[in-house]
């Protein structure tokens, strides 16, 4: 008997950014965050897990290369938590269920996009890993329950357990049991939303999110202001904008929060710069595009956002996608068909 399961999880791109932990082991954030999960077709991780009593130990391959699983690291923690759930929820309840929690697992994961280029590969990666083990172990768990485990792999991964519009509620408990992802709205609520991903560089980024955000927690005064006085208000505003399908309000908050996240990175000692000149030129282009739109209709038509890297994500509605792609192609001439220095993963719809 072969015990094996495969699952995919897409990338999510935050509109209200997670940046800072109050507990680095359990990965509990200093603020709530909200993201949009992209469709499975574009940027995703696909993971296959197999349990077999003949395996000597747990092993994992990422894009064909073996990664060491070291306890009590993030990978080891996620695998251990899922085995524990298998035992408690399946094997202890049904004596005839195979004792998969006692078998070592082999896990193979592939991304269809560059790893660690600020494209949230750890988010889709840990979400796919948790989903594939949950399927292998036939766990009767909701996505929110699984998000508690994915969170311990990489904070932002908890949001990739859902499609559409997703909040990660920071929670208040010390054990993290209330720090989980919840659906704000399914994709079908606002299917006109699109994300254009402009790959400015697919190099591995200089400062990882994990180490960068801890330096910010330790040194930035601006972060304290953000946590207390800015994010709670913005979470309410963006949820209201999504529920009302108010793109202008969604765009305003999304861009403001991207700007403030990069401001707290700059307020870190030593300062962290994630955007480069091309990133900043794309901001200028979107600002000008919105200025013209506001003049005509009173409303914004696009929103940029940047994670811990130089790549731009532009949210817009379906009706504007063609116009924006044409503008970008015009102002950022492509070399070798969308390759270096500026590559466009065109029109990802929301998943
Ligand atoms: C800028 O989830 O990669 O993309 O929890 O340490 O693994 P760890 O960090 P990670 O940080 C993501 C930061 C961000 C913002 C966001 O996705 O909310």
């Amino acid at each position: 008997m072969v015990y094996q399961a495969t699952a995919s999880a897409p990338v999510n791109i935050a509109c209200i950014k997670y940046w800072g932990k109050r507990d680095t082991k359990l990965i509990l954030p200093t603020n709530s965050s909200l993201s949009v999960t992209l469709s499975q077709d574009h940027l995703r991780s696909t993971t296959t897990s197999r349990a077999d009593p003949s395996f000597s130990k747990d092993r994992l391959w990422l894009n064909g290369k073996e990664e060491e699983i070291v306890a009590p690291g993030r990978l080891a923690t996620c695998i251990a938590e899922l085995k524990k759930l298998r035992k408690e929820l399946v094997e202890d309840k049904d004596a005839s269920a195979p004792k998969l929690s006692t078998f070592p697992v082999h896990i193979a994961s592939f991304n269809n996009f560059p790893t660690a280029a600020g494209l949230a590969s750890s988010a889709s990666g840990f979400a796919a890993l948790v989903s594939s083990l949950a399927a292998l172990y036939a766990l009767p768990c909701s996505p929110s329950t699984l998000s508690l485990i994915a969170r311990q792999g990489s904070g932002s991964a908890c949001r990739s357990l859902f499609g559409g519009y997703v909040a990660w509620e920071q929670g208040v408990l010390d054990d993290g049991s209330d720090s989980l992802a919840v659906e704000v709205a399914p994709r079908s609520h606002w299917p006109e939303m699109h994300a254009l991903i402009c790959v400015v560089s697919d190099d591995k980024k200089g400062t990882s999110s994990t180490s960068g955000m801890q330096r910010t927690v330790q040194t930035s005064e601006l972060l304290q202001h953000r946590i207390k006085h800015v994010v709670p208000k913005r979470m309410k505003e963006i949820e209201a904008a999504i529920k009302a399908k108010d793109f202008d309000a969604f765009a305003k908050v999304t861009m403001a929060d991207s700007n403030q996240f990069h401001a707290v990175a700059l307020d870190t000692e030593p300062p962290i710069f994630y955007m480069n000149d091309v990133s900043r030129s794309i901001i200028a282009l979107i600002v000008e595009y919105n200025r013209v739109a506001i003049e005509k209709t009173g409303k914004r038509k696009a929103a940029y956002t940047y994670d811990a890297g130089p790549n731009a994500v532009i949210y817009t509605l379906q009706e504007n996608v063609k116009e924006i792609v044409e503008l970008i192609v015009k102002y950022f001439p492509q070399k070798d068909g969308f390759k270096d220095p500026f590559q466009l993963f065109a029109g990802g719809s929301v998943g």
Side-chain angles (χ1 to χ4, degrees), residues 12-14 16-19 21 27 33 74 120 122 151 153-157 159 168 205 209-210 213 261 306-308:
N12 71 74
I13 305 290
I16 304 296
K17 306 290 187 193
Y18 147 54
W19 196 252
K21 297 182 183 69
I27 310 196
S33 55
R74 292 170 170 211
S122 65
R151 188 200 76 224
S154 181
S156 53
R159 298 185 309 238
W168 173 12
K205 63 192 168 211
S209 304
T210 307
M213 71 173 76
F261 155 50
Y306 294 79
D307 279 346

Side-chain angles (χ1 to χ4, degrees), residues 80-141:
E81 288 284 316
L82 289 153
K83 285 185 177 175
K84 195 167 134 227
L85 284 184
R86 165 73 187 183
K87 181 167 180 316
E88 287 169 6
L89 301 181
V90 181
E91 295 164 12
D92 288 354
K93 294 214 160 109
D94 172 6
S96 68
K99 303 277 180 277
L100 299 189
S101 68
T102 64
F103 299 175
V105 280
H106 282 187
I107 301 165
S109 189
F110 288 91
N111 295 334
N112 64 347
F113 60 94
T115 305
L119 279 178
S121 58
S122 65
S124 56
F126 275 102
L129 177 131
V130 168
S131 301
S132 94
L133 283 169
L136 172 71
Y137 294 156
L139 298 180
C141 292

Side-chain angles (χ1 to χ4, degrees), residues 198-200 276-289 306 310 312 314 323-344:
C198 307
V199 180
V200 172
N276 64 18
D277 286 350
V278 179
S279 320
R280 285 185 282 271
S281 307
I282 296 171
I283 292 183
L285 183 68
I286 297 301
V287 168
E288 179 58 15
Y289 180 69
Y306 294 79
I314 301 169
E323 191 174 69
I324 294 176
V325 170
E326 279 168 6
L327 263 182
I328 288 175
V329 171
K330 179 169 164 209
Y331 286 102
F332 299 91
Q334 319 285 306
K335 278 197 215 154
D336 309 324
F338 293 155
K339 288 250 178 59
D340 195 48
F342 187 84
Q343 189 181 33
L344 191 68

Side-chain angles (χ1 to χ4, degrees), residues 249-270:
F250 172 89
K252 184 167 180 249
V253 183
T254 295
M255 291 187 284
D257 208 69
S258 174
N259 294 345
Q260 192 176 68
F261 155 50
H262 289 275
V264 299
L266 187 63
D267 192 47
T268 301
E269 168 64 37

